[in-house]
Amino acid sequence: DPSASPFLNIYIIQFQHWFPIFGSMTAVSFAAFLQLAVMKGCFKFGIRFFLIDLHPLKFNKTSTHSFMCNLAIYLCTTFSVVHLLVNAFAEYARYTDIAGIFIQVRYLDFFTIFFDNRIFEILFLLFAALTSIWFAFSGPRDRPASAAKLRASLLADSSSIEMRQNLSSSSSKYIIIHRLLLLMR
């Protein structure tokens, strides 16, 4: 299927003749941009079941299981990003190995229905529309950083350092252990 506009393909092919590495750098930078967008989506949206955060990514509060679930989503979307790039740069990636792999996958009995009816593209547009509607009505979840909270956390850290220095000068090891346990709470 020819693309609607061959602008990107012509752009990359022209620069490929002028400076060979520039065409590859353009395609790689576009792929990196898409992967970073997916990563930002995982940080901002995470894995949710309706309104419940199942595996949120929060600074210094992310469990290993949540990190691995988000990594699995990131790796699953890598296949979709590569598929999008092969379709977007069809003329540029014509004789590459990945184009040959996708041609073979396209004509497998099971996947022929999906490719012929453009199910993957329709699902992509559907999810993009639903996500846009969701964020349009739910509003931003980000909160601006508070200077007062930052100052309070820095003061708390400096007071705990002073307390640890005072503990090291104490002679009783039981008092030290007790105070350390209180600090860990």
Side-chain angles (χ1 to χ4, degrees), residues 109-128:
D109 291 335
F110 178 74
F111 289 110
T112 309
I113 299 166
F114 294 104
F115 281 103
D116 289 344
N117 296 323
R118 297 185 175 270
I119 300 295
F120 294 122
E121 288 90 353
I122 292 170
L123 284 175
F124 173 75
L125 292 174
L126 179 71
F127 277 112

Side-chain angles (χ1 to χ4, degrees), residues 139-170:
R141 292 180 53 205
D142 294 341
R143 304 278 190 274
S146 170
K149 287 182 182 179
L150 178 64
R151 189 178 304 117
S153 69
L154 290 175
L155 289 175
D157 287 343
S158 66
S159 66
S160 64
I161 291 171
E162 290 172 7
M163 187 177 286
R164 280 188 227 127
Q165 289 173 350
N166 291 338
L167 284 175
S168 64
S169 65
S170 296

Side-chain angles (χ1 to χ4, degrees), residues 126-146:
L126 179 71
F127 277 112
L130 288 175
T131 304
S132 299
I133 292 168
W134 173 264
F135 282 124
F137 289 113
S138 69
R141 292 180 53 205
D142 294 341
R143 304 278 190 274
S146 170

Side-chain angles (χ1 to χ4, degrees), residues 9-10 30 59 66 93 98 114 135 141-143 145 147 153 185:
N9 288 301
I10 292 171
F30 187 63
F59 186 70
S66 295
I98 193 68
F114 294 104
F135 282 124
R141 292 180 53 205
D142 294 341
R143 304 278 190 274
S153 69
R185 288 186 192 177

Side-chain angles (χ1 to χ4, degrees), residues 14-35:
Q14 289 297 324
F15 276 109
Q16 189 75 14
H17 293 301
W18 176 66
F19 185 61
I21 195 77
F22 191 75
S24 300
M25 286 174 30
T26 304
V28 167
S29 63
F30 187 63
F33 169 75
L34 290 174
Q35 287 298 97

